[in-house]
Amino acid sequence: MVFQYLIDLKASYELSRVEKHECSKVIENRRKCERLHGFSSKGHEECVHEELAEKKCLACSLCKEEYMMFYGHGQNQTACATLVEKFKQNLKSANDLQLNGATETKKVKIPRRCRDASYALGHCLHKYTKTAKDR
């Protein structure tokens, strides 16, 4: 129990350090956007770029190995972040087409390596945010 407390304390310290230095500008941009647009689903859509920039900065500083798996790219491979972004854009386009009466949409799949990289990155970031509140 004491050991877990020390791990959580170290994670909280590292998160605080990164928030105050490496990622302070992107965190402030996200907060400004949320203050401007609110926390509703519509406000969330308006601030998605700020949220992704914050996630990328935190990942780069706190989860270096997972960051490289998700944002980096291997030989002849597109970065998973790029593929996921294309998937989201295609999903939004498909939803817009269906709303306008179209029935045929292009299917886009995310490779297994990218699903794994996304899961690993989320798991790593969660270690730092599970005890932290939005500062």
Side-chain angles (χ1 to χ4, degrees):
M1 187 140 173
V2 173
F3 185 67
Q4 186 60 46
Y5 171 76
L6 293 174
I7 291 171
D8 291 345
L9 187 63
K10 181 182 180 214
S12 178
Y13 170 76
E14 287 180 39
L15 178 63
S16 179
R17 176 187 55 79
V18 168
E19 286 179 332
K20 290 177 183 164
H21 300 287
E22 292 97 326
C23 300
S24 62
K25 286 187 169 106
V26 293
I27 290 171
E28 185 56 32
N29 288 342
R30 191 246 325 143
R31 288 180 180 154
K32 284 179 185 176
C33 184
E34 287 176 346
R35 282 193 297 270
L36 182 64
H37 296 288
F39 293 99
S40 67
S41 61
K42 181 68 175 159
H44 176 73
E45 289 176 18
E46 296 295 327
C47 300
V48 73
H49 293 292
E50 289 81 0
E51 289 173 358
L52 291 174
E54 178 182 19
K55 177 182 174 184
K56 184 175 183 177
C57 185
L58 291 172
C60 181
S61 298
L62 299 170
C63 305
K64 293 181 185 331
E65 185 176 323
E66 293 85 351
Y67 172 88
M68 286 307 299
M69 287 171 47
F70 189 74
Y71 291 101
H73 52 84
Q75 223 171 7
N76 300 322
Q77 289 184 329
T78 304
C80 290
T82 303
L83 294 173
V84 170
E85 184 64 29
K86 285 181 183 178
F87 175 80
K88 288 179 182 178
Q89 289 171 353
N90 286 346
L91 190 60
K92 182 174 178 2
S93 297
N95 288 338
D96 291 345
L97 287 173
Q98 287 175 348
L99 289 175
N100 292 326
T103 56
E104 193 65 35
T105 58
K106 183 180 177 186
K107 300 281 185 199
V108 177
K109 292 185 178 182
I110 297 177
R112 174 75 184 195
R113 70 178 174 86
C114 293
R115 292 193 305 270
D116 292 346
S118 179
Y119 176 78
L121 181 59
H123 182 72
C124 179
L125 287 172
H126 180 72
K127 289 188 296 191
Y128 293 97
T129 59
K130 70 179 180 181
T131 57
K133 294 184 172 103
D134 191 27
R135 302 163 199 249

PDB file of all heavy atoms in Angstrom, residues 86-105:
ATOM      1  N   LYS A  86      -7.207   9.755 -40.028  1.00  0.00           N
ATOM      2  CA  LYS A  86      -7.916   9.492 -41.286  1.00  0.00           C
ATOM      3  C   LYS A  86      -9.177   8.684 -41.032  1.00  0.00           C
ATOM      4  O   LYS A  86     -10.222   8.925 -41.636  1.00  0.00           O
ATOM      5  CB  LYS A  86      -7.006   8.742 -42.268  1.00  0.00           C
ATOM      6  CG  LYS A  86      -5.952   9.604 -42.897  1.00  0.00           C
ATOM      7  CD  LYS A  86      -5.105   8.807 -43.865  1.00  0.00           C
ATOM      8  CE  LYS A  86      -4.004   9.661 -44.442  1.00  0.00           C
ATOM      9  NZ  LYS A  86      -3.128   8.917 -45.347  1.00  0.00           N
ATOM     10  N   PHE A  87      -9.089   7.719 -40.133  1.00  0.00           N
ATOM     11  CA  PHE A  87     -10.253   6.905 -39.784  1.00  0.00           C
ATOM     12  C   PHE A  87     -11.365   7.785 -39.228  1.00  0.00           C
ATOM     13  O   PHE A  87     -12.523   7.669 -39.624  1.00  0.00           O
ATOM     14  CB  PHE A  87      -9.861   5.833 -38.758  1.00  0.00           C
ATOM     15  CG  PHE A  87     -11.019   5.027 -38.254  1.00  0.00           C
ATOM     16  CD1 PHE A  87     -11.522   3.987 -39.018  1.00  0.00           C
ATOM     17  CD2 PHE A  87     -11.590   5.297 -37.026  1.00  0.00           C
ATOM     18  CE1 PHE A  87     -12.586   3.233 -38.563  1.00  0.00           C
ATOM     19  CE2 PHE A  87     -12.657   4.553 -36.572  1.00  0.00           C
ATOM     20  CZ  PHE A  87     -13.160   3.520 -37.329  1.00  0.00           C
ATOM     21  N   LYS A  88     -11.016   8.697 -38.319  1.00  0.00           N
ATOM     22  CA  LYS A  88     -12.014   9.593 -37.725  1.00  0.00           C
ATOM     23  C   LYS A  88     -12.637  10.498 -38.786  1.00  0.00           C
ATOM     24  O   LYS A  88     -13.839  10.728 -38.791  1.00  0.00           O
ATOM     25  CB  LYS A  88     -11.391  10.433 -36.614  1.00  0.00           C
ATOM     26  CG  LYS A  88     -11.079   9.655 -35.373  1.00  0.00           C
ATOM     27  CD  LYS A  88     -10.447  10.554 -34.332  1.00  0.00           C
ATOM     28  CE  LYS A  88     -10.078   9.782 -33.091  1.00  0.00           C
ATOM     29  NZ  LYS A  88      -9.410  10.628 -32.092  1.00  0.00           N
ATOM     30  N   GLN A  89     -11.807  11.006 -39.698  1.00  0.00           N
ATOM     31  CA  GLN A  89     -12.337  11.864 -40.762  1.00  0.00           C
ATOM     32  C   GLN A  89     -13.279  11.080 -41.667  1.00  0.00           C
ATOM     33  O   GLN A  89     -14.343  11.572 -42.042  1.00  0.00           O
ATOM     34  CB  GLN A  89     -11.187  12.455 -41.584  1.00  0.00           C
ATOM     35  CG  GLN A  89     -10.400  13.501 -40.848  1.00  0.00           C
ATOM     36  CD  GLN A  89      -9.138  13.906 -41.595  1.00  0.00           C
ATOM     37  OE1 GLN A  89      -8.774  13.325 -42.607  1.00  0.00           O
ATOM     38  NE2 GLN A  89      -8.448  14.907 -41.064  1.00  0.00           N
ATOM     39  N   ASN A  90     -12.890   9.840 -42.012  1.00  0.00           N
ATOM     40  CA  ASN A  90     -13.748   9.012 -42.861  1.00  0.00           C
ATOM     41  C   ASN A  90     -15.038   8.646 -42.147  1.00  0.00           C
ATOM     42  O   ASN A  90     -16.099   8.595 -42.760  1.00  0.00           O
ATOM     43  CB  ASN A  90     -13.027   7.739 -43.304  1.00  0.00           C
ATOM     44  CG  ASN A  90     -11.991   8.019 -44.369  1.00  0.00           C
ATOM     45  OD1 ASN A  90     -11.968   9.084 -44.965  1.00  0.00           O
ATOM     46  ND2 ASN A  90     -11.120   7.064 -44.593  1.00  0.00           N
ATOM     47  N   LEU A  91     -14.966   8.398 -40.849  1.00  0.00           N
ATOM     48  CA  LEU A  91     -16.154   8.073 -40.073  1.00  0.00           C
ATOM     49  C   LEU A  91     -17.107   9.256 -40.048  1.00  0.00           C
ATOM     50  O   LEU A  91     -18.312   9.101 -40.246  1.00  0.00           O
ATOM     51  CB  LEU A  91     -15.742   7.675 -38.652  1.00  0.00           C
ATOM     52  CG  LEU A  91     -16.809   7.089 -37.764  1.00  0.00           C
ATOM     53  CD1 LEU A  91     -17.380   5.818 -38.378  1.00  0.00           C
ATOM     54  CD2 LEU A  91     -16.251   6.798 -36.381  1.00  0.00           C
ATOM     55  N   LYS A  92     -16.561  10.454 -39.844  1.00  0.00           N
ATOM     56  CA  LYS A  92     -17.393  11.655 -39.856  1.00  0.00           C
ATOM     57  C   LYS A  92     -18.003  11.864 -41.237  1.00  0.00           C
ATOM     58  O   LYS A  92     -19.192  12.156 -41.357  1.00  0.00           O
ATOM     59  CB  LYS A  92     -16.580  12.880 -39.448  1.00  0.00           C
ATOM     60  CG  LYS A  92     -17.403  14.152 -39.386  1.00  0.00           C
ATOM     61  CD  LYS A  92     -16.610  15.302 -38.850  1.00  0.00           C
ATOM     62  CE  LYS A  92     -17.327  16.616 -38.794  1.00  0.00           C
ATOM     63  NZ  LYS A  92     -18.675  16.729 -39.186  1.00  0.00           N
ATOM     64  N   SER A  93     -17.206  11.672 -42.293  1.00  0.00           N
ATOM     65  CA  SER A  93     -17.721  11.808 -43.659  1.00  0.00           C
ATOM     66  C   SER A  93     -18.814  10.784 -43.927  1.00  0.00           C
ATOM     67  O   SER A  93     -19.836  11.101 -44.536  1.00  0.00           O
ATOM     68  CB  SER A  93     -16.600  11.636 -44.681  1.00  0.00           C
ATOM     69  OG  SER A  93     -15.642  12.638 -44.531  1.00  0.00           O
ATOM     70  N   ALA A  94     -18.603   9.552 -43.475  1.00  0.00           N
ATOM     71  CA  ALA A  94     -19.607   8.498 -43.674  1.00  0.00           C
ATOM     72  C   ALA A  94     -20.896   8.844 -42.947  1.00  0.00           C
ATOM     73  O   ALA A  94     -21.993   8.674 -43.492  1.00  0.00           O
ATOM     74  CB  ALA A  94     -19.073   7.154 -43.189  1.00  0.00           C
ATOM     75  N   ASN A  95     -20.786   9.365 -41.737  1.00  0.00           N
ATOM     76  CA  ASN A  95     -21.981   9.766 -40.990  1.00  0.00           C
ATOM     77  C   ASN A  95     -22.696  10.907 -41.685  1.00  0.00           C
ATOM     78  O   ASN A  95     -23.925  10.921 -41.775  1.00  0.00           O
ATOM     79  CB  ASN A  95     -21.613  10.167 -39.555  1.00  0.00           C
ATOM     80  CG  ASN A  95     -21.231   8.978 -38.707  1.00  0.00           C
ATOM     81  OD1 ASN A  95     -21.595   7.845 -39.016  1.00  0.00           O
ATOM     82  ND2 ASN A  95     -20.493   9.233 -37.647  1.00  0.00           N
ATOM     83  N   ASP A  96     -21.936  11.865 -42.201  1.00  0.00           N
ATOM     84  CA  ASP A  96     -22.536  12.979 -42.930  1.00  0.00           C
ATOM     85  C   ASP A  96     -23.236  12.482 -44.190  1.00  0.00           C
ATOM     86  O   ASP A  96     -24.333  12.928 -44.522  1.00  0.00           O
ATOM     87  CB  ASP A  96     -21.486  14.029 -43.306  1.00  0.00           C
ATOM     88  CG  ASP A  96     -20.956  14.778 -42.090  1.00  0.00           C
ATOM     89  OD1 ASP A  96     -21.588  14.697 -41.019  1.00  0.00           O
ATOM     90  OD2 ASP A  96     -19.901  15.424 -42.217  1.00  0.00           O
ATOM     91  N   LEU A  97     -22.612  11.535 -44.914  1.00  0.00           N
ATOM     92  CA  LEU A  97     -23.231  10.985 -46.120  1.00  0.00           C
ATOM     93  C   LEU A  97     -24.520  10.240 -45.787  1.00  0.00           C
ATOM     94  O   LEU A  97     -25.521  10.363 -46.492  1.00  0.00           O
ATOM     95  CB  LEU A  97     -22.262  10.039 -46.840  1.00  0.00           C
ATOM     96  CG  LEU A  97     -21.100  10.699 -47.571  1.00  0.00           C
ATOM     97  CD1 LEU A  97     -20.132   9.637 -48.086  1.00  0.00           C
ATOM     98  CD2 LEU A  97     -21.611  11.547 -48.737  1.00  0.00           C
ATOM     99  N   GLN A  98     -24.513   9.465 -44.704  1.00  0.00           N
ATOM    100  CA  GLN A  98     -25.716   8.726 -44.321  1.00  0.00           C
ATOM    101  C   GLN A  98     -26.833   9.679 -43.937  1.00  0.00           C
ATOM    102  O   GLN A  98     -27.998   9.429 -44.246  1.00  0.00           O
ATOM    103  CB  GLN A  98     -25.408   7.758 -43.175  1.00  0.00           C
ATOM    104  CG  GLN A  98     -24.600   6.566 -43.637  1.00  0.00           C
ATOM    105  CD  GLN A  98     -24.188   5.662 -42.494  1.00  0.00           C
ATOM    106  OE1 GLN A  98     -24.311   6.014 -41.337  1.00  0.00           O
ATOM    107  NE2 GLN A  98     -23.676   4.492 -42.844  1.00  0.00           N
ATOM    108  N   LEU A  99     -26.490  10.779 -43.291  1.00  0.00           N
ATOM    109  CA  LEU A  99     -27.500  11.773 -42.941  1.00  0.00           C
ATOM    110  C   LEU A  99     -28.108  12.399 -44.190  1.00  0.00           C
ATOM    111  O   LEU A  99     -29.251  12.818 -44.189  1.00  0.00           O
ATOM    112  CB  LEU A  99     -26.898  12.871 -42.059  1.00  0.00           C
ATOM    113  CG  LEU A  99     -26.539  12.454 -40.635  1.00  0.00           C
ATOM    114  CD1 LEU A  99     -25.829  13.598 -39.912  1.00  0.00           C
ATOM    115  CD2 LEU A  99     -27.788  12.057 -39.858  1.00  0.00           C
ATOM    116  N   ASN A 100     -27.322  12.443 -45.266  1.00  0.00           N
ATOM    117  CA  ASN A 100     -27.800  13.019 -46.520  1.00  0.00           C
ATOM    118  C   ASN A 100     -28.401  11.968 -47.452  1.00  0.00           C
ATOM    119  O   ASN A 100     -28.634  12.243 -48.621  1.00  0.00           O
ATOM    120  CB  ASN A 100     -26.664  13.765 -47.229  1.00  0.00           C
ATOM    121  CG  ASN A 100     -26.251  15.000 -46.467  1.00  0.00           C
ATOM    122  OD1 ASN A 100     -27.077  15.647 -45.839  1.00  0.00           O
ATOM    123  ND2 ASN A 100     -24.973  15.320 -46.483  1.00  0.00           N
ATOM    124  N   GLY A 101     -28.597  10.743 -46.971  1.00  0.00           N
ATOM    125  CA  GLY A 101     -29.280   9.725 -47.754  1.00  0.00           C
ATOM    126  C   GLY A 101     -28.393   8.745 -48.501  1.00  0.00           C
ATOM    127  O   GLY A 101     -28.891   7.828 -49.141  1.00  0.00           O
ATOM    128  N   ALA A 102     -27.095   8.875 -48.463  1.00  0.00           N
ATOM    129  CA  ALA A 102     -26.218   7.931 -49.154  1.00  0.00           C
ATOM    130  C   ALA A 102     -26.186   6.615 -48.383  1.00  0.00           C
ATOM    131  O   ALA A 102     -26.277   6.585 -47.169  1.00  0.00           O
ATOM    132  CB  ALA A 102     -24.808   8.502 -49.266  1.00  0.00           C
ATOM    133  N   THR A 103     -26.085   5.520 -49.125  1.00  0.00           N
ATOM    134  CA  THR A 103     -26.072   4.214 -48.470  1.00  0.00           C
ATOM    135  C   THR A 103     -24.719   3.526 -48.566  1.00  0.00           C
ATOM    136  O   THR A 103     -24.411   2.667 -47.761  1.00  0.00           O
ATOM    137  CB  THR A 103     -27.139   3.282 -49.095  1.00  0.00           C
ATOM    138  OG1 THR A 103     -26.888   3.205 -50.499  1.00  0.00           O
ATOM    139  CG2 THR A 103     -28.526   3.819 -48.827  1.00  0.00           C
ATOM    140  N   GLU A 104     -23.912   3.886 -49.525  1.00  0.00           N
ATOM    141  CA  GLU A 104     -22.614   3.236 -49.732  1.00  0.00           C
ATOM    142  C   GLU A 104     -21.504   4.104 -49.144  1.00  0.00           C
ATOM    143  O   GLU A 104     -21.344   5.247 -49.515  1.00  0.00           O
ATOM    144  CB  GLU A 104     -22.372   3.046 -51.234  1.00  0.00           C
ATOM    145  CG  GLU A 104     -21.228   2.120 -51.565  1.00  0.00           C
ATOM    146  CD  GLU A 104     -21.475   0.682 -51.121  1.00  0.00           C
ATOM    147  OE1 GLU A 104     -22.626   0.238 -51.170  1.00  0.00           O
ATOM    148  OE2 GLU A 104     -20.509   0.033 -50.731  1.00  0.00           O
ATOM    149  N   THR A 105     -20.765   3.554 -48.191  1.00  0.00           N
ATOM    150  CA  THR A 105     -19.645   4.285 -47.612  1.00  0.00           C
ATOM    151  C   THR A 105     -18.404   3.414 -47.659  1.00  0.00           C
ATOM    152  O   THR A 105     -18.487   2.191 -47.634  1.00  0.00           O
ATOM    153  CB  THR A 105     -19.921   4.682 -46.142  1.00  0.00           C
ATOM    154  OG1 THR A 105     -20.191   3.505 -45.401  1.00  0.00           O
ATOM    155  CG2 THR A 105     -21.078   5.649 -46.037  1.00  0.00           C
TER     156      THR A 105
END
